[in-house]
Amino acid sequence: MSAKIRTQEEIAARVKALESMLIEQGVMTTQAIDRMVEIYENEVGPQLGAKVVAKAWSDPEFKTRLVEDASEACKELGISGLQGEDMVAVENTDSVHNIIVCTLCSCYPWPVLGLPPNWYKDPQYRAAITREPRKVLSEAFGLAIPEDIEVRVWDSSSEMRYWVLPQRPAGTEGWSEEELAELVTRDSMIGVGTTAEVPA
Amino acid sequence: MNGVFDLAGTDGVGPVVVPEEEPVFRAEWEKVVFPMFAMCFRAGFLGVDQFRHGIEKIDPAVYLKSPYYEHWLHSFEYHGERVGKVDMDELDRRTEYYLANPDAPLPDHEDDPELLAFIEAVVPAGAPAKRESDKAARFKVGDVVRVGREAPKGHTRRARYIRGAVGEVVLHHGPMIYPDTAGNGLGECPEHVYTLRFTNEELWGAEHAEPNGAVYFDVWDPYIELATHAATPEGVLA
């Protein structure tokens, strides 16, 4: 195996070469490629997780079901699928802050968060987040976790897919689920960010 | 296998860099490689554990320096050749051709309604890894266990940083496909999966551990044994 690092042009040519062979074999079609890209660019993304979180904040019984079995609860909202067949929602509390990672590859709960951002898949995050989570959150994400709050890092080594149920922000009493969903950021469900600021 | 992909606890790889915004796919070629997994899976080239093992076999220097979706490309090449569907000389020839003629068209082809229907169906349905099994679970929530030191050369999810470490079983998920067989082409052989909780002190030593924290890591039944040393759970886990 060569240790040569390919340029973008070389990678693009290699991909097109393999694509051409797989098209001739009937393994791929450009129509199916375009459809799958469209799904993950426009349809499956963190707006779905935000919907689930907002419902959990609004409906205590749903939240109980979500924490009990996240995949089953998400199906109630029509949310399910690849890389989230068996999900666990881990709940942030006044005493616990959760973070997700996949140190061995790039496992991530696609049905609720879409495809992972590049930093999540890069060596730097995977190397540091289990060893120095407080330092990574503080230095890379500007998020300081007080020392009396326990930090739990969920390393997704099996096909179980973890994601974070953030705390409902103060000052949102009486908000609708749609309004609450606007506050739920992708990073708050990874555990590296907060929910959005509540307007004063 | 022991390799650079097993990154947890690796020091000196630099800071986490988080761009303000980025698209789902950063280049047109990424939009082709991403759907290749589902379609090569359907065509019988590979399962998800074999796919990961194909990525683990990348030259370590390339692994650390190449864009993420190029890792996927390596795995499709590796498994395409393994199952006799991708001739590497032909792939090299075509690569040279498209490098010299980047705008040259792809082969003419018809739409395939069945392939499209597969994509529409598999995205929401997924491909679950849970399996029925007669095997009894050897452990239960609350057990204190130690991860074995085994360092197999093939595919495994026994990350180095948890080998030999003592943790507590906090969740039991039931039997799932066993990557140590499935990833090496040896069948699904389902085993019970558990989530273990390791304190930071257990993983990194008291002097180097961040305070008040723990790592949760999923293991398969054969990875662990009851911890038999004399330390109390409080002493090990507190």
Side-chain angles (χ1 to χ4, degrees), chain A residues 112-174:
Chain A
V112 286
L113 295 187
L115 300 182
N118 281 289
W119 58 259
Y120 181 90
K121 305 176 286 191
D122 284 342
Q124 291 77 16
Y125 180 76
R126 292 162 50 202
I129 197 70
T130 58
R131 181 158 160 82
E132 299 182 301
R134 292 174 189 273
K135 186 166 178 245
V136 171
L137 291 197
S138 156
E139 290 183 357
F141 298 94
L143 182 62
I145 307 294
E147 218 173 274
D148 63 338
I149 295 182
E150 181 185 328
V151 172
R152 296 180 177 172
V153 179
W154 297 79
D155 190 348
S156 314
S157 51
S158 78
E159 298 305 328
M160 302 304 299
R161 291 289 170 270
Y162 302 91
W163 54 279
V164 180
L165 173 59
Q167 284 186 287
R168 179 171 177 160
T172 57
E173 294 73 21

Side-chain angles (χ1 to χ4, degrees), chain A residues 9 12-13 16, chain B residues 28 96-107:
Chain A
E9 290 71 25
K16 200 165 183 180
Chain B
E28 287 303 308
E96 287 305 315
Y97 172 72
Y98 281 119
L99 196 56
N101 306 278
D103 298 323
L106 289 161

Side-chain angles (χ1 to χ4, degrees), chain A residues 63-94:
Chain A
K63 183 179 147 186
T64 303
R65 295 198 296 279
L66 181 69
V67 172
E68 182 71 24
D69 185 334
S71 293
E72 281 305 309
C74 286
K75 279 180 196 161
E76 295 176 28
L77 305 182
I79 294 167
S80 66
L82 283 178
Q83 289 298 307
E85 292 86 352
D86 292 288
M87 297 190 288
V88 177
V90 290
E91 185 184 4
N92 283 353
T93 67
D94 289 341

Side-chain angles (χ1 to χ4, degrees), chain B residues 32-74:
Chain B
V32 178
V33 176
F34 171 67
M36 254 180 210
F37 176 78
M39 297 183 216
C40 288
F41 172 82
R42 177 176 179 261
F45 285 26
L46 75 180
V48 71
D49 296 292
Q50 291 171 305
F51 167 65
R52 293 193 184 111
H53 195 42
I55 290 174
E56 292 163 0
K57 287 170 169 287
I58 297 171
D59 181 289
V62 172
Y63 182 91
L64 291 172
K65 291 290 184 190
S66 52
Y68 172 75
Y69 281 111
E70 194 191 352
H71 297 175
W72 289 36
L73 172 66
H74 279 280

